[in-house]
Amino acid sequence: MGWFMNQINRFICWTNREPILKIRRIVWMITSGWWLALLYLISAVMFTLLIAFIPFGLKALKFCIFAFDPVTKEAYRENSAQNTDIRAKPLKGAWYYYAMAANIVWLVTVGWGLALGHLMAAIFSALTIIGLGTAWTNIRLMLFAIWPFTQGIRDTYLPTSLDDLNRHEAAVAEMTRRTKPTYGSDVV
């Protein structure tokens, strides 16, 4: 298993180098990017026309821009511990109720359609071997499209060597270990 994971990691690092990275971006734009961005743009316009839903339109516009280059960008939970891991801390106060209500309205109105668009794009991309990475990106974005509030967009760390990858994984593991909640420690 160790040899196999090492080969996978070598492949990941190889695809993050510049000529291949440009090819990945082009494949994304051809197979999924342009029409997913169009879906997000239509959603943004639809929400912005209804004045009460302008925050939804702004979120959809942010995703429209994100749909053009998800290869070098990633979605993350804004309320997670130092924005490095997926385990989210619970939201407190009025923001929790707003985010839950906004996510439910988003899911009912356009979230399901956008998620279906990502699923169709993933299936289309997976038909070719070169599009498997694009298909995986669509699956990740499908979850982002369903429940978008409390999530943001940031640059992705793209290691170009195994040493870079190992250093990054060790730093993330250390950060996760330090920020892991200990239950009962907040009791006075």
Side-chain angles (χ1 to χ4, degrees):
M1 187 72 169
W3 176 84
F4 182 71
M5 289 307 295
N6 189 27
Q7 297 304 317
I8 295 286
N9 288 339
R10 282 178 187 262
F11 181 73
I12 289 170
C13 292
W14 177 73
T15 60
N16 290 337
R17 294 192 178 128
E18 190 45 50
I20 303 301
L21 191 60
K22 192 170 295 229
I23 291 171
R24 285 175 60 198
R25 286 178 173 158
I26 291 170
V27 166
W28 170 260
M29 286 305 296
I30 290 171
T31 58
S32 320
W34 66 272
W35 69 275
L36 286 172
L38 183 65
L39 280 175
Y40 280 116
L41 185 63
I42 290 169
S43 300
V45 169
M46 182 184 77
F47 277 129
T48 308
L49 289 176
L50 304 168
I51 298 201
F53 292 106
I54 287 178
F56 291 80
L58 294 176
K59 186 62 95 168
L61 191 59
K62 184 192 261 187
F63 297 157
C64 175
I65 294 167
F66 179 47
F68 280 115
D69 189 19
V71 175
T72 60
K73 307 258 185 259
E74 68 180 349
Y76 71 97
R77 293 192 184 195
E78 292 174 337
N79 62 333
S80 66
Q82 290 147 18
N83 298 334
T84 59
D85 61 354
I86 296 177
R87 294 174 293 121
K89 291 181 179 178
L91 295 170
K92 298 190 189 254
W95 173 245
Y96 173 78
Y97 298 109
Y98 168 75
M100 290 302 290
N103 278 328
I104 290 169
V105 170
W106 177 276
L107 177 66
V108 170
T109 55
V110 296
W112 64 272
L114 294 172
L116 186 63
H118 280 292
L119 182 63
M120 290 183 344
I123 291 169
F124 177 70
S125 297
L127 293 177
T128 65
I129 292 177
I130 197 167
L132 287 176
T134 307
W136 178 247
T137 302
N138 269 306
I139 296 298
R140 281 189 348 217
L141 291 176
M142 183 172 65
L143 299 174
F144 190 51
I146 290 175
W147 210 252
F149 287 88
T150 72
Q151 297 194 32
I153 299 166
R154 65 179 174 199
D155 289 335
T156 302
Y157 177 72
L158 298 172
T160 56
S161 70
L162 286 177
D163 292 334
D164 288 346
L165 182 64
N166 291 335
R167 277 194 300 273
H168 178 69
E169 287 176 350
V172 168
E174 177 63 22
M175 177 84 55
T176 303
R177 187 188 63 75
R178 274 193 273 139
T179 59
K180 190 173 186 178
T182 55
Y183 297 102
S185 63
D186 58 347
V187 177
V188 178

